[in-house]
Amino acid sequence: MTKEKKKTKKKKAKSSFSELGLNDEILKNLGEAGYEIPSPIQAELIPIAVKGQDCIGQARTGTGKTAAFSLPVLQQIDLRRPGAQALILAPTRELSEQVAEEIRKLCPDKSLNLSVLVGGKPLRPQENQLKRGAQIAVGTPGRVIDHINRGNLKLNTLEFVVLDEADRMLDIGFRPDIEKILRKCPEKRQTLLLSATMPPPVERLARRYMQDPVVINLSEDKVSVDAIDQYYITVDPNRKVKLLSRLLFQERPKQTLVFTRTKRGADKLDRIFSKKLKAVAAIHGDLPQPKRDRVLKEFREGKIRLLIATDVMGRGIDVSGISHIINYDIPEFSDDYVHRIGRVGRLSSDQKGAAFTFVAPDEGDQLTNIENRINHMISEFRVDDFEAYQPQKPRKKIETVSHLGNTEHLINPDFGDF
Ligand code: AMP
């Protein structure tokens, strides 16, 4: 990154969409969508991207990154011309659908033809959409390749490629697919890359497939997690179910997302908590797509209030009502911690969220890695009337703040023992 490019970070953020180089039609659509003030990533990325420059935006979901990359694309594509002009790659089916939904919101023009190319759904309707001349294709790398191989998706007319949540796509093994796609794309194109974290594999991908990109890093080296109160609770592994039930009772959260390390772990918690509570569900990659869609829809509508997810699934969840994140299993990689807690304290929500991480006595090093990653000491939290087996010495001042989401009890007081 040159010195000149670094300067883009220090510019004063613009406070109105009209200062970002967007045309009148897009400004009108933004007004209708209720977007008044650009978020920091939008204020930084849009003015550069509308000029056709490659950009890397370090931003997590919930910061308005979808509009940040979509608006410059929408401004530059020609809606009178059928055929693929923009390809957006995303790590999960859910995220692809979310991106498509946001684009439709930002561009209600009937001549915009959008196709969502995701696995787990029949090929034929996707193929038909492409044949109808979709100008924008959004999808997961595997299914996109499928359509390229079948001759349904032609890349020679592409002018824009977006890699959304690039770190996650690489994490889950999409690197070969992404490279295969990028090698087939025209060299003369604009590439935008969005990523919550910038590990070396993402940097390598950017170096190889982007042209002199401007890097917009709003998080600097410190991940901005100020909107979330973060705590850890030391607990013996076989007391975790009990702890979760007590914590839910004490906190009375509006909506909670619980992360487990494995799909089996998610199912197990779902079984246990569904016996005692309504509005509980699990979501992970082994569930059939219609079930996943239904669970996400109900979570978004607030019908599900306790959702248990694995990392891959949790990543695609954009639900403004989430007040609490509970890391039932401490994340294996500290970047996953950042992604997990990024589910609360979202742009569209004005409440301050809380994140709790259960830490087994032998997982202290993992907690330290996370603290180093986020450059922030996580405080210990105490749950009333709960004795974790052999609790470790508190490392810091103990806080007993309550994060009341609403007054309705999610958990019955006589929740019982497990
Ligand atoms: P994203 O980070 O793209 O997942 O966006 C998070 C949520 O914020 C989505 O529900 C968007 O519709 C919404 N959003 C994005 N930008 C703005 C904005 N400037 N003003 C209000 N809401 C926004």
Side-chain angles (χ1 to χ4, degrees):
M1 192 169 30
T2 64
K3 267 188 192 147
E4 199 191 338
K5 281 172 189 157
K6 269 188 179 168
K7 270 191 213 154
T8 55
K9 295 192 297 189
K10 300 206 171 77
K11 273 191 205 150
K12 198 172 167 292
K14 304 237 178 5
S15 57
S16 148
F17 278 110
S18 60
E19 296 171 63
L20 308 183
L22 294 166
N23 66 31
D24 289 346
E25 171 140 19
I26 292 201
L27 292 175
K28 182 173 141 275
N29 294 342
L30 280 167
E32 278 163 19
Y35 292 14
E36 286 166 9
I37 299 163
S39 71
I41 185 71
Q42 291 163 356
E44 295 283 344
L45 197 137
I46 293 172
I48 301 162
V50 287
K51 291 189 190 133
Q53 174 87 48
D54 280 7
C55 285
I56 297 176
Q58 193 168 347
R60 57 185 175 85
T61 301
T63 56
K65 71 176 169 60
T66 316
F69 69 70
S70 304
L71 292 170
V73 170
L74 287 168
Q75 170 139 319
Q76 296 178 82
I77 60 170
D78 181 355
L79 291 181
R80 290 162 307 181
R81 187 155 59 82
Q85 295 172 51
L87 174 65
I88 301 168
L89 296 176
T92 62
R93 299 157 193 181
E94 285 76 9
L95 189 67
S96 306
E97 308 265 8
Q98 241 166 253
V99 168
E101 213 172 288
E102 178 85 353
I103 292 177
R104 283 198 196 97
K105 186 159 85 180
L106 296 171
C107 180
D109 192 324
K110 294 270 184 313
S111 38
L112 171 68
N113 218 322
L114 191 65
S115 58
V116 184
L117 312 176
V118 292
K121 301 246 159 124
L123 279 158
R124 188 50 70 82
Q126 299 175 359
E127 187 185 327
N128 290 342
Q129 263 175 334
L130 289 169
K131 287 202 173 125
R132 259 182 260 128
Q135 297 103 343
I136 302 182
V138 188
T140 47
R143 182 54 73 96
V144 166
I145 290 210
D146 212 353
H147 283 291
I148 295 172
N149 291 343
R150 287 163 189 266
N152 302 334
L153 177 63
K154 309 237 170 17
L155 302 181
N156 56 333
T157 51
L158 273 189
E159 290 177 22
F160 307 93
V161 174
V162 179
L163 304 172
D164 192 13
E165 302 210 348
D167 49 353
R168 191 43 146 196
M169 288 202 282
L170 298 191
D171 273 359
I172 56 182
F174 279 137
R175 194 178 60 83
D177 285 353
I178 294 171
E179 294 206 28
K180 214 182 278 171
I181 296 168
L182 290 175
R183 278 199 296 269
K184 288 184 200 286
C185 291
E187 254 178 50
K188 195 172 162 304
R189 61 164 195 265
Q190 182 180 10
T191 310
L192 305 176
L193 181 150
L194 285 296
S195 199
T197 57
M198 271 299 154
V202 176
E203 280 180 6
R204 275 198 295 276
L205 188 78
R207 257 201 310 276
R208 249 173 123 169
Y209 296 98
M210 297 180 77
Q211 294 224 332
D212 206 13
V214 175
V215 181
I216 296 154
N217 177 1
L218 296 163
S219 50
E220 302 285 320
D221 287 331
K222 183 168 144 229
V223 179
S224 93
V225 286
D226 303 342
I228 308 155
D229 289 328
Q230 299 169 69
Y231 304 96
Y232 76 91
I233 306 172
T234 311
V235 61
D236 192 77
N238 62 25
R239 304 264 300 153
K240 282 199 211 176
V241 171
K242 177 91 180 159
L243 172 60
L244 180 54
S245 68
R246 288 257 154 235
L247 182 63
L248 292 172
F249 177 59
Q250 182 168 322
E251 286 284 305
R252 291 167 206 166
K254 188 169 161 231
Q255 262 192 319
T256 306
L257 184 57
V258 175
F259 281 97
T260 60
R261 203 172 289 160
T262 63
K263 298 169 193 168
R264 276 185 55 210
D267 281 337
K268 189 177 141 211
L269 277 188
D270 179 28
R271 272 196 306 276
I272 294 171
F273 280 83
S274 296
K275 276 187 201 144
K276 302 269 178 181
L277 302 170
K278 290 189 289 223
V280 181
I283 188 161
H284 55 66
D286 282 354
L287 296 181
Q289 189 61 33
K291 169 105 202 247
R292 280 199 236 166
D293 292 345
R294 198 174 65 237
V295 167
L296 265 188
K297 182 166 171 282
E298 288 182 2
F299 193 52
R300 207 165 280 141
E301 291 166 355
K303 288 184 189 147
I304 291 171
R305 293 185 52 203
L306 180 65
L307 183 63
I308 303 145
T310 52
D311 283 296
V312 172
M313 277 303 117
R315 181 73 178 257
I317 295 173
D318 169 23
V319 176
S320 54
I322 301 174
S323 56
H324 288 61
I325 294 291
I326 298 177
N327 294 315
Y328 184 85
D329 296 316
I330 193 166
E332 203 171 343
F333 304 104
S334 36
D335 276 355
D336 280 332
Y337 179 84
V338 178
H339 297 309
R340 288 180 180 189
I341 65 164
R343 307 298 96 194
V344 286
R346 312 180 60 75
L347 191 80
S348 45
S349 138
D350 47 10
Q351 76 210 344
K352 191 162 185 180
F356 298 86
T357 302
F358 293 3
V359 185
D362 62 351
E363 290 172 335
D365 286 351
Q366 275 157 269
L367 182 66
T368 307
N369 286 342
I370 291 169
E371 289 176 329
N372 290 337
R373 171 70 183 81
I374 61 172
N375 199 9
H376 175 90
M377 278 290 276
I378 302 176
S379 317
E380 184 165 23
F381 188 84
R382 182 172 292 162
V383 175
D384 298 341
D385 304 324
F386 179 75
E387 275 307 315
Y389 177 63
Q390 287 182 334
Q392 282 190 328
K393 269 206 236 143
R395 304 165 352 132
K396 238 188 115 178
K397 189 169 123 283
I398 294 176
E399 297 193 34
T400 52
V401 193
S402 183
H403 301 266
L404 290 183
N406 67 10
T407 48
E408 193 190 330
H409 284 223
L410 174 65
I411 302 266
N412 201 307
D414 56 357
F415 193 67
D417 281 333
F418 288 97

